[in-house]
Amino acid sequence: MEILQGKKIVLGISGGIAAYKAPELVRRLKEQGADIRVVMTEGAKAFITPLTLQAVSGNAVADSLLDTQAELAMGHIELAKWADLIIIAPATADIIAKITAGMANDLLTTLCLATSAPIAIAPAMNQQMWHALATQANITTLKDRGYHIWGPGCGEQACGDVGLGRMLDVDDLVSLSGDFFVEKYLQGQHWVVTAGPTREAIDPVRYISNHSSGKMGYAIAHAAVRAGAKVTLISGPVTLNAPFGCELIRVNSADEMHQHALSLAPTCSTFVACAAVADYRVANVAAQKIKKTNDAMQLELVKNHDIVADVAQLTDKPFIVGFAAETQNVEHYARGKLVRKNLDLIAANDVAKSGQGFNSDDNALTLFSAVDHIEIPLANKTIVAQQLVSLINQHYLAKLNSTEL
Ligand code: C5P
């Protein structure tokens, strides 16, 4: 099922240049199963036409408080009651100020007063306007009133300035909309997730690494953020964007990953070791590029620290989940690692099977604890991660309850 299946979303568009992204936002929210009704301010219509939004949303666009025809179709009070969520994107400094002041002189501001639905605001304005004391005071007031403030992002602006004030990317807004409806069952927990490969330098231009894409670890981090956890993602070099809302620590080598993991682990509730850490590193990394003068060469390798096993040695250790990517005897090897590394759970997958595991978008896992095992069937890694995170939490809570007895 799509994340927003059956959800009723009102998208309010105010008059900023980022309004040109609104049709794409509508299309993507609909793709996720949402029913969208668009409300436009007069300013928004200077940037984009209601006809475009009507075509992509499949519903008439509401743009006037005083239009008798529109009020007959779905009046503003009905619209206010219909919505499960109101998103205002882009939200200009002006609409933010009007909403804060409780004004109701157009359809969008009236809706905000007349609804009991949650309201998310995606600010979009020049960086100076964003930093203005008036805007900041308005944002603080709206946050205090329970409004959700999504962004703004940082970067180059339409006016040429660089800084905070860009509307978040459509991808992030869609992702936040999906996150919004997920039960926040990990509220108050801190998860640390390792992901991706590590790179072990041979010389300044060469390294030893592996095919890990980081997709599984990133999907787990995202699923934990969606469920309300604070998440720190320690990631080796990958080409993925960090899931919105999680803290990203980029590393290269196993040593760097080890350092960060060991310093964060005592403060977290759950540690998920999803990284494909290189087992060995080069004993003597060459300071200069090695020249190919000989027909053969030998590298001396030394064993890396086992990060997850070291975390499991801590006196204040968190709940620990490891991964086992195997090509044969999956259960036997996975259970061996569970015991040897002193883990609470291990998620095992058969990487010899095509279409799952390394570099694939899909995965199937078996989650082993000391006493049982649960299958997570083949599916997109996003779905697998959501199930895995929920199962990890159930085991975590069970352990917490049993130690409290
Ligand atoms: O021993 P193996 O590499 O198969 O173990 C896999 C599990 O151990 C994974 O959870 C992986 O992230 C973790 N690991 C680690 N540090 C290493 C090697 C593996 O944390 N040096």
Side-chain angles (χ1 to χ4, degrees), residues 98-349:
K98 281 181 178 156
I99 293 169
T100 312
M103 289 174 74
N105 63 348
D106 65 6
L107 181 57
L108 187 52
T109 48
T110 304
L111 260 188
C112 291
L113 274 188
T115 194
S116 59
I119 302 177
I121 288 193
M125 67 197 73
N126 162 273
Q127 53 87 24
Q128 195 71 46
M129 293 171 78
W130 170 251
H131 288 297
L133 291 179
T135 306
Q136 287 305 306
N138 290 339
I139 290 290
T140 305
T141 305
L142 290 180
K143 277 186 185 163
D144 290 346
R145 288 182 194 158
Y147 282 62
H148 304 268
I149 310 297
W150 291 353
C154 194
E156 196 176 333
Q157 306 196 304
C159 56
D161 279 9
V162 176
L164 267 181
R166 281 172 62 90
M167 187 173 83
L168 289 183
D169 288 340
V170 168
D171 274 351
D172 291 333
L173 291 176
V174 174
S175 168
L176 283 166
S177 308
D179 295 357
F180 189 83
F181 292 102
V182 174
E183 193 203 334
K184 302 290 177 263
Y185 62 89
L186 296 182
Q187 199 88 55
Q189 292 191 28
H190 178 195
W191 284 42
V192 173
V193 180
T194 69
T198 63
R199 282 182 185 169
E200 310 304 323
I202 298 171
D203 68 15
V205 296
R206 302 180 179 94
Y207 57 81
I208 299 170
S209 191
N210 58 62
H211 290 296
S212 169
S213 63
K215 285 178 189 164
M216 194 65 232
Y218 275 56
I220 291 168
H222 188 192
V225 168
R226 285 166 56 104
K230 172 185 168 189
V231 177
T232 311
L233 178 59
I234 310 175
S235 173
V238 295
T239 55
L240 304 171
N241 291 325
F244 192 84
C246 86
E247 185 200 3
L248 176 68
I249 299 177
R250 289 179 204 278
V251 297
N252 272 308
S253 66
D255 258 354
E256 282 175 74
M257 189 174 275
H258 183 259
Q259 247 175 310
H260 286 287
L262 269 284
S263 86
L264 281 165
T267 66
C268 72
S269 48
T270 302
F271 183 87
V272 183
C274 194
V277 184
D279 293 321
Y280 294 90
R281 67 179 181 279
V282 176
N284 301 300
V285 179
Q288 304 299 334
K289 185 180 170 190
I290 300 169
K291 292 292 172 195
K292 47 178 179 287
T293 43
N294 299 328
D295 284 344
M297 72 173 287
Q298 284 188 330
L299 288 175
E300 189 191 341
L301 301 177
V302 291
K303 212 165 192 180
N304 273 326
H305 295 289
D306 191 312
I307 299 169
V308 75
D310 284 359
V311 168
Q313 295 301 315
L314 295 169
T315 35
D316 251 355
K317 68 173 178 149
F319 189 80
I320 305 175
V321 186
F323 268 74
E326 305 295 344
T327 53
Q328 56 177 342
N329 298 336
V330 177
E331 172 157 8
H332 173 73
Y333 287 124
R335 286 204 178 278
K337 283 174 195 176
L338 181 73
V339 175
R340 199 168 58 252
K341 299 192 184 207
N342 195 19
L343 312 176
D344 294 293
L345 294 171
I346 192 152
N349 58 335

